[in-house]
Amino acid sequence: MTQLTEEMFQIFDQPEFSFKKIKMQHSEAEVAELKDEFKGVWQTWKAVNQAVTQNLPTGKFAKVHVESWTNGWNLRDHYWASYRLQDLADANPCVGVMLDKKQLQVYLMFQHYQSENRKITPEQYNELLADIPSWSKQIDLQNWYIWNGEMSSEFDDHTKLSDYLKQTDIQKQFKSELSDATFLVGKFVFRDQQHNVNMEDFITNAIVDLLPLYEKSVKNKGLLR
């Protein structure tokens, strides 16, 4: 089992992520050391997500996608992985897992990338908001948040799911601001409260909590057998 550590967050405190600029500002030895630090944390990140797949229901999910530590031109300012149901590898909804300088988060999302080749529209996905109140009764709401994928960045403070559920005015405003955007809902552990967090357990439990909502997003469209 892997402990979430301050060192994992610290690498993303890096002021510059462009290899071109980093090489202009540092010696070859310093650049090599920086790369080793990023690769080291990423290798742990990859191993954690591979271990999570072993904890999930057998045959339920496709192979986890773990984004590389670099895109060739830049270091990543976060590490990301995605989980898709086996029967829905080409559908838009998926569960994302992200580690950045602020938090570790696990969330249900609508992936807009290559959306024209996928099977669900943003409008259809957003209909899932109506199911959140009933779904939320099955989970512990602590550290769960909801946010607009277009209006919020990964570093913004999001609306607590408990506040969203209790206040109809927040719900109305949230829905009115969605427009062509889509919502995300997920569980967070923040950098300043990450002590004694087992990464595999945290990620696995959050995915399992999200699974009924994830399946609902596609069952209603007849995509899940």
Side-chain angles (χ1 to χ4, degrees), residues 139-205:
I139 65 171
D140 179 351
L141 291 176
Q142 185 175 7
N143 293 327
W144 283 86
Y145 294 81
I146 188 168
W147 65 104
N148 182 315
E150 294 296 319
M151 294 182 64
S152 300
S153 81
E154 63 192 84
F155 303 118
D156 290 337
D157 293 331
H158 304 314
T159 302
K160 290 183 178 180
L161 184 57
S162 57
D163 291 340
Y164 172 88
L165 292 166
K166 287 186 293 187
Q167 301 181 43
T168 56
D169 56 329
I170 293 180
Q171 295 177 33
K172 289 178 181 178
Q173 181 178 354
F174 185 87
K175 292 173 183 177
S176 69
E177 291 176 345
L178 273 181
S179 185
D180 294 331
T182 51
F183 77 91
L184 297 89
V185 60
K187 188 173 186 179
F188 288 60
V189 56
F190 295 99
R191 182 173 181 172
D192 61 358
Q193 58 180 204
Q194 43 83 19
H195 302 289
N196 300 318
V197 173
N198 179 301
M199 295 179 70
E200 289 91 346
D201 285 350
F202 176 81
I203 295 170
T204 299
N205 292 337

Side-chain angles (χ1 to χ4, degrees), residues 15-110:
E16 182 57 64
F17 292 86
S18 164
F19 281 131
K20 181 178 180 180
K21 293 182 179 179
I22 291 171
K23 289 176 181 178
M24 291 171 61
Q25 299 167 0
H26 298 275
S27 68
E28 287 187 13
E30 289 172 332
V31 172
E33 182 179 0
L34 183 62
K35 286 183 177 180
D36 286 343
E37 289 176 358
F38 269 76
K39 283 191 284 188
V41 173
W42 179 81
Q43 286 168 346
T44 299
W45 172 250
K46 182 178 180 181
V48 164
N49 282 282
Q50 289 174 334
V52 167
T53 63
Q54 303 303 310
N55 297 335
L56 295 172
T58 303
K60 195 82 171 177
F61 285 85
K63 181 180 178 181
V64 62
H65 169 71
V66 181
E67 191 175 65
S68 175
W69 63 279
T70 171
N71 65 4
W73 296 273
N74 303 285
L75 296 168
R76 302 285 188 188
D77 63 0
H78 62 253
Y79 289 157
W80 188 74
S82 61
Y83 294 77
R84 295 181 183 277
L85 289 170
Q86 184 71 46
D87 293 336
L88 296 165
D90 58 349
N92 308 78
C94 67
V95 174
V97 183
M98 184 183 294
L99 175 70
D100 57 42
K101 65 181 181 181
K102 181 182 177 183
Q103 66 243 327
L104 169 63
Q105 51 183 302
V106 183
Y107 52 93
L108 181 66
M109 65 175 288
F110 180 98

